[in-house]
């Protein structure tokens, strides 16, 4: 069966949906076959009268049973808006040589009727057309399937269909079809948040631009603008949107020009360029006023009012901005725009000196953003994530300005919770310029598994505590937390149950320069001293003791132990441990059930790390005779899952960062962060004696393997910021356990690092090792 829509279903949708079908026909989704007879009634009928041609071809088909004539009749009926006749005849062509193209026509009819079976019929058509050697139509059908599947939230299938479109286009050796297939893939990768992969796909499409018709060139230019905008490349984004408007038929059509013009306006506003913004606003106003198609749509009304308010803000007219925002709100915005409207209201109220209304507006913006957390693919887009930080940052700054420290801490905590989730998403969203849809499909599966697993994480499962409760629960801790906004680094210091707000005197730009210097050369004494002074100004540090550090996004990969304060290494006086947030610190200290297994050691899973096996023997000797040691082919996924509640889990195996994010190499394959979370591999102590196990693609660390174990339930994890020589790594690990690392990992780590310093070991030898987690109390050990 063709799984075609019922006649009644198609007829009911024809009046509203047929323009979609007509467009599909024009663009080549369905191309009339004609009848392959020298002279016949079907062929000579005026093709402008589709129904007459359909009747003539059907009459001839009844006489000859020729599949090509029947196909011509089906396609003519489809063009002539007689889907019932097309469906009836299509059923009779099953099993004939015309079936592949009939399937294609039926899929277009289903799409026009809004039938949910359309994408599956397009995929079946693509397979049949490809088998028949009709690679051009096969690629078109697969692209249609991919688009509809993506719109229907069937993301992985959409990526598979995109791959099928590429394969068919390659087999057909048609550059135009190849470009269109890459363009479709680029859009999906963009939606997945993979800007690098999208860049590669669009680059492949652009390499074939001489084969493209103007309509496809316009799509290419517009999508290039979106990509460059998301990447923060203002000049190239502007050039791409302006190229779109110069192409034939674009600027003259208000519905086509409107999206490009409003994107240009958004760019100008983000740049703070008032002259450019005024110019784009005037052009957009002409389009809005001239087209009922635009000004009659609620979404366009919201966008126009919101952008107009932002332009008034640039003009320093906050009262006028508030008037426009009322219009935007009256147009009933979607949640995606509601948060922007509330944020803009907060900025306008703040500019007018109305602090309490500003606080309320920023809170409403944050509430709207929190309500969007179910929109998981937006949460995976770095540029969307960055935009949605704005209300948190504005509210934090407002509380800091007013001296309401407790409220500022609560804002910081809400943002840190989002940052933790977003870091894992970002780690699994980065591809390469050569990204193919199969790789993207693997990332999609990872992301869809990762998101619900993060929601169940012990670190995020409970609502955040208020500032008073946090200060009470952490009364015995010394904590330094960082918050960066605009060009300033804010510091929250907790000591003896009291909190104070400080600000670094170093600008974020200068701070980032120092971070880069230290990360590139940890032996740079001057940079280490300057960065230490910037991060730990007077009043932020106790004289000695355990210190919990909650880094901001740009500080996660800094080797804190090697920073210098007052001429000495920070670790010389402090036992350092990193945590994702204050609430996470409390959550990791919640009462835990006792371990179900003793210590477990994994080593040399691939058989190419002989030093790791010797390390495993050393570790087992320290941990006791009941320690289970697995090496080589014994290091399997099943054994890892059995060790999920171990007292100590020591991993001396390969690790790295791939298309799906951070991974751990076992004998039977790679395990990624999402799987660790899904399985709940949360041993009481995890020691990652593997290469760069605390590293991600970005400067932060909350998408790393170390963070994955924390999110899965481990209260303590030891990881490394970079790779070290095997023999040196073995010495450090052995010393860690000899110092009591299994029971006091934070203290043991500090003692070993101090011993290495006293022995004048190179900084590179001890600085990469970092403790993450709860800094366990005696009750937790």
């Amino acid at each position: 069966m063709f799984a075609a829509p019922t006649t009644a279903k198609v007829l009911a949708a024809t009046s509203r949906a047929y323009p979609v079908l007509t467009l599909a026909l024009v663009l080549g989704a369905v191309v009339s076959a004609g009848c392959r007879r020298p002279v016949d009634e079907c062929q000579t009928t005026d093709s402008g009268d589709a129904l007459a041609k359909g009747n003539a071809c059907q009459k001839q088909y009844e006489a000859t049973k020729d599949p090509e004539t029947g196909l011509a009749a089906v396609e003519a009926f489809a063009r002539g808006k007689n889907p019932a006749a097309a469906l009836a005849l299509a059923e009779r062509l099953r099993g004939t040589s015309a079936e592949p193209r009939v399937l294609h026509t039926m899929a277009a009819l289903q799409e026009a009727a809004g039938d949910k079976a359309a994408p599956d019929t397009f995929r079946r058509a693509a397979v049949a057309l490809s088998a028949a050697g009709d690679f051009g139509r096969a690629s078109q059908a697969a692209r249609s399937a991919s688009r509809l599947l993506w719109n229907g939230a069937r993301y992985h299938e959409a990526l598979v269909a995109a791959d099928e479109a590429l394969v068919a286009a390659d087999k057909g050796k048609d550059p135009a079809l190849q470009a269109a297939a890459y363009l479709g893939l680029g859009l999906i990768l963009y939606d997945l948040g993979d800007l690098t992969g999208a860049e590669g796909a669009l680059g492949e499409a652009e390499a074939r631009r001489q084969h493209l018709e103007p309509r496809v060139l316009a799509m290419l230019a517009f999508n290039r603008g979106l990509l460059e905008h998301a990447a923060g490349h203002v000049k190239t984004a502007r050039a791409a949107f302006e190229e779109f408007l110069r192409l034939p038929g674009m600027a003259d059509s208000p519905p086509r020009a409107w999206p490009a013009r409003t994107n240009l306006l958004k760019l100008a506003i983000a740049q703070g360029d008032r002259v450019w913004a005024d110019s784009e606003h005037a052009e957009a106003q002409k389009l809005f006023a001239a087209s009922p198609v635009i000004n009659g749509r609620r979404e366009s009304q919201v966008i126009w009012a919101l952008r107009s308010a932002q332009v008034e803000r640039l003009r320093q007219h906050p009262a006028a901005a508030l008037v426009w925002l009322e219009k935007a709100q009256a147009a009933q915005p979607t949640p995606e725009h509601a948060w922007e409207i509330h944020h803009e209201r907060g900025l306008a109220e703040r500019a007018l000196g109305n602090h309490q209304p500003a606080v309320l507006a920023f809170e409403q913006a944050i509430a709207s953003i929190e309500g969007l957390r179910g929109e998981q693919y937006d949460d995976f887009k770095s540029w969307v994530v960055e935009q949605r930080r704005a209300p948190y940052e504005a509210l934090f700054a407002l509380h800091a300005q007013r001296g309401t420290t407790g409220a500022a801490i609560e804002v910081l905590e809400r943002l840190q919770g989002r940052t933790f989730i977003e870091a894992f998403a970002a780690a699994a969203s980065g591809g390469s310029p050569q990204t193919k849809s199969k790789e993207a499909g693997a990332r999609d599966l990872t992301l869809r598994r990762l998101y619900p697993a993060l929601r169940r994480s012990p670190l995020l499962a409970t609502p955040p505590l208020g500032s008073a409760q946090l200060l009470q629960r952490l009364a015995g801790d010394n904590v330094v937390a960082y918050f960066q906004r605009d060009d300033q680094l804010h510091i929250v210091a907790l000591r003896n149950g009291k909190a104070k707000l400080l600000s670094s005197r170093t600008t974020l730009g200068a701070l980032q320069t120092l971070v880069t210097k230290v990360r590139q050369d940890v032996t740079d004494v001057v940079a280490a001293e300057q960065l230490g002074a910037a991060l730990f100004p007077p009043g932020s540090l106790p004289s000695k003791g355990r210190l919990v550090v909650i880094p901001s996004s740009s500080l996660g990969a800094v080797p804190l132990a090697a920073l210098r304060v007052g001429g000495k290494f920070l670790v010389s006086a402090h036992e350092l441990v990193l945590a994702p947030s204050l609430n996470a610190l409390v959550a990791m200290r919640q009462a835990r059930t006792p371990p179900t297994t003793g210590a477990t050691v994994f080593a040399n899973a691939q058989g190419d790390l002989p030093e790791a096996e010797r390390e495993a023997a050393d570790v087992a000797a320290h941990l006791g005779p009941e320690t289970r040691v697995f090496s080589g082919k014994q290091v399997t996924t099943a054994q890892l899952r059995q060790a999920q509640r171990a007292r100590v889990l020591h991993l001396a195996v390969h690790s790295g960062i791939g298309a799906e994010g951070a991974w751990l190499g076992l004998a039977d394959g790679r395990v990624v962060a999402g799987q660790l979370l899904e399985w709940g591999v949360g041993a009481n102590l995890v020691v990652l004696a593997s290469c760069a196990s605390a590293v991600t693609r970005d400067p932060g660390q909350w998408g790393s393997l170390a963070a994955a174990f924390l999110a899965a339930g481990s209260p303590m994890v030891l990881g490394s910021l970079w790779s070290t020589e095997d023999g040196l790594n073995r010495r450090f690990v052995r010393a860690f356990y000899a110092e009591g690392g299994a029971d006091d990992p934070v203290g043991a780590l500090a003692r070993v690092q101090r011993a290495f310093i006293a022995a004048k070991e190179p900084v590179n030898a001890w600085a990469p090792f970092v403790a993450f987690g709860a800094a366990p109390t005696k009750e937790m050990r």
Side-chain angles (χ1 to χ4, degrees):
M1 297 293 288
F2 289 124
T6 64
T7 301
K9 194 171 186 178
V10 172
L11 291 176
T14 298
S15 61
R16 63 175 171 79
Y18 208 85
V20 177
L21 175 60
T22 304
L23 178 62
L25 293 170
V26 170
L27 296 182
V30 181
V31 182
S32 177
C35 299
R36 299 176 183 177
R37 295 289 180 272
V39 178
D40 55 42
E41 185 181 1
C42 172
Q43 189 179 43
T44 57
T45 300
D46 181 6
S47 61
D49 187 344
L51 288 178
K53 183 177 181 66
N55 289 326
C57 288
Q58 182 168 21
K59 181 178 179 181
Q60 183 172 311
Y61 170 74
E62 300 297 348
T64 65
K65 302 303 181 190
D66 175 43
E68 292 296 320
T69 306
L71 172 63
V74 169
E75 293 178 340
F77 284 137
R79 291 196 311 280
K81 302 184 182 180
N82 190 347
L87 287 167
L89 185 54
E91 283 293 320
R92 298 169 61 188
L93 292 172
R94 289 189 297 113
T96 71
S97 60
E99 181 172 352
R101 287 174 64 179
V102 169
L103 273 172
H104 200 185
T105 303
M106 292 303 97
L109 282 170
Q110 288 176 322
E111 180 182 1
D115 192 324
K116 292 182 180 180
D120 298 302
T121 307
F122 270 123
R123 287 195 71 188
R124 290 170 57 209
V127 172
L129 288 163
S130 187
D134 191 347
F135 299 117
R137 286 187 180 85
S139 184
Q140 291 168 350
R143 284 205 326 271
S144 295
S146 180
R147 170 175 50 80
L148 292 175
L149 288 164
W150 187 261
N151 291 340
R154 296 165 64 181
Y155 303 119
H156 183 66
E157 293 170 272
L159 286 160
V160 173
D163 190 60
E164 292 168 351
L166 274 173
V167 170
D170 286 342
K171 287 181 178 178
K173 298 180 180 179
D174 185 328
L177 286 174
Q178 290 171 334
Y182 275 114
L183 184 58
L185 175 60
L187 282 171
I188 293 178
L189 295 174
Y190 170 87
D191 269 349
L192 275 172
D194 182 358
L195 294 186
T196 308
E199 168 69 32
L202 288 190
E204 293 283 357
E206 286 175 337
R208 298 162 174 81
R209 66 180 296 127
Q210 70 270 26
H211 301 284
L212 302 180
E213 60 184 55
R215 178 188 64 85
V216 182
L217 281 173
M219 291 176 60
L220 189 58
F222 188 85
N223 293 332
R224 169 61 64 186
L226 291 179
L227 180 64
E228 297 294 344
H229 188 179
H233 304 151
V234 176
K235 289 184 179 179
T236 48
R238 181 177 183 175
F241 287 128
E242 289 176 345
E243 178 192 350
F244 172 88
L245 290 169
R246 287 194 300 270
L247 289 167
M250 297 300 122
D252 297 335
S253 170
R256 291 174 180 169
W258 172 257
R261 191 62 70 186
T262 51
N263 271 289
L264 284 166
L265 178 56
K266 187 176 181 180
L267 278 171
I269 292 167
Q271 285 296 105
D273 188 329
R274 178 174 167 178
V275 174
W276 180 20
D278 282 340
S279 173
E280 295 296 347
H281 188 257
E283 293 298 324
Q285 186 175 28
K286 294 176 188 176
L287 296 173
F288 186 82
S291 174
V293 174
I294 297 173
N295 58 44
R297 293 174 58 221
R298 189 170 291 168
E299 182 181 14
S300 299
Q301 295 166 7
V302 171
I303 290 173
W304 174 239
L306 174 59
R307 300 294 173 244
S308 296
Q310 291 171 323
V311 170
E312 292 293 355
R313 171 164 56 83
L314 272 185
R315 295 168 178 165
Q316 298 184 6
H317 298 157
L322 287 173
V323 173
W324 276 110
L325 291 170
E326 288 299 327
K327 294 178 181 179
Q329 196 66 50
Q332 299 178 5
T334 62
E336 287 81 1
H337 288 123
W339 78 263
E340 282 192 87
I341 293 169
H342 293 309
H343 176 59
E344 282 294 325
R345 180 177 289 109
L347 296 176
E349 295 285 10
R350 187 179 67 184
L352 290 167
N354 302 328
H355 283 185
Q356 194 53 41
V359 168
L360 178 60
F362 291 138
E363 287 284 3
Q364 289 174 319
I366 291 171
S368 295
I369 290 171
E370 295 298 322
L372 285 169
R373 281 194 171 186
E375 306 290 327
Q376 67 179 56
Y377 279 99
D378 272 353
D379 274 356
F380 295 163
K381 298 175 187 176
S382 58
W383 62 99
V384 173
V385 166
E386 189 61 31
Q387 291 168 0
R388 291 180 181 175
R389 289 179 60 93
Y392 295 89
E393 294 174 351
L395 185 56
F396 180 93
L398 196 55
H399 284 311
Q401 177 185 345
R402 301 176 72 191
T404 48
T405 303
I409 290 173
E410 290 174 6
V411 175
L412 173 60
E413 283 297 292
R414 289 154 78 182
L415 183 58
Q416 293 285 18
R418 283 191 65 84
T419 301
F420 192 71
I421 290 177
E422 290 154 358
F424 281 103
S429 296
S432 68
Q434 290 76 41
T435 294
K436 300 293 184 182
S437 50
K438 287 183 178 178
E439 294 176 4
R443 283 199 303 279
D444 170 65
L445 290 176
T446 298
L447 293 174
R448 287 194 286 125
R449 176 169 54 204
L450 179 64
Y451 213 76
L454 277 169
R455 292 281 176 236
R456 296 190 300 271
S457 167
L459 302 191
L460 301 168
T462 56
L465 298 174
S467 59
Q469 292 173 293
L470 283 172
L471 292 175
Q472 182 180 12
R473 299 286 289 274
L474 300 174
D477 290 275
N478 295 307
V479 183
V480 177
Y482 296 96
F483 185 98
Q484 57 191 62
R485 176 184 178 270
D486 295 335
D487 199 34
Q488 189 172 19
L489 183 71
H490 297 274
I491 302 168
V492 178
L494 270 64
R495 193 184 308 173
N496 301 322
K498 296 181 180 180
K500 59 181 174 180
L501 290 175
L502 305 168
S503 294
S504 176
R505 294 181 180 178
T506 307
T507 66
L508 280 182
L511 193 71
Q512 194 56 56
T513 299
L514 291 173
V515 167
T516 301
K517 285 183 177 181
V518 171
R519 291 182 63 195
Q520 291 177 344
D521 182 8
V522 74
T523 64
D524 186 333
V525 175
V526 174
E529 187 77 46
Q530 291 175 341
L531 185 55
L535 296 182
F536 302 101
S540 63
L541 281 176
S543 59
K544 61 180 179 178
R546 188 157 297 184
L547 179 68
V548 180
V549 177
I550 299 173
S552 62
S553 58
S554 63
L555 301 178
V558 173
L560 293 175
L563 298 188
R564 294 171 180 265
V565 177
K568 295 182 179 180
F569 288 117
L570 185 62
V571 74
S572 297
H574 298 90
E575 299 174 352
L576 303 169
V577 57
L578 272 65
S581 68
L582 298 175
N583 276 280
L585 189 60
V586 171
M588 288 185 291
R589 291 178 176 178
Q590 300 293 339
R592 289 169 51 86
T593 56
T596 56
T597 58
T600 303
V601 179
F602 289 156
N604 196 19
Q606 308 298 321
D608 57 353
L609 296 174
E611 194 68 33
E613 290 206 43
R614 288 188 281 273
E615 176 184 308
D618 292 341
V619 171
H622 281 292
L623 294 177
E626 296 183 0
T627 302
R628 299 185 303 164
V629 178
F630 300 93
S631 62
K633 293 182 179 180
Q634 298 174 322
V635 183
T636 63
T637 301
Q639 293 294 352
L640 177 65
R641 297 189 67 173
Q642 286 186 18
Q644 64 184 20
R645 296 290 294 119
R647 181 173 70 90
V648 176
L649 175 59
H650 183 97
L651 295 155
V653 297
H654 285 299
S655 63
I657 303 172
E660 301 167 74
W663 55 265
L664 196 63
L666 305 186
D668 56 349
R670 292 180 177 180
V671 172
V672 296
Q675 290 170 300
L676 295 172
L677 286 163
E678 189 177 18
W679 301 335
V681 183
N684 268 23
L685 169 65
V686 177
V687 177
L688 292 165
S690 54
C691 302
S693 54
V695 174
T696 63
R697 289 187 181 92
D698 58 43
Q701 291 171 317
W702 300 132
S704 65
L705 276 175
F709 280 103
L710 285 184
S714 291
M716 282 302 307
V717 180
L718 186 73
S720 63
L721 297 175
W722 59 79
S723 300
T724 57
E725 184 268 324
D726 283 352
L728 180 62
N729 192 76
R730 181 184 172 192
R731 280 201 298 123
F732 193 95
V733 168
R734 184 167 50 191
F736 170 77
Y737 284 108
E739 282 289 343
D743 297 312
D744 178 20
V746 177
L749 173 61
R751 290 190 289 273
V752 174
Q753 289 176 323
R754 292 166 188 166
F756 271 53
I757 293 170
K760 301 189 182 305
E761 295 276 7
V763 180
N764 280 315
W766 53 265
F769 298 98
V770 183
F772 301 86
T777 60
K778 292 180 179 179
E779 291 76 17
M780 296 177 60
R781 297 174 191 167

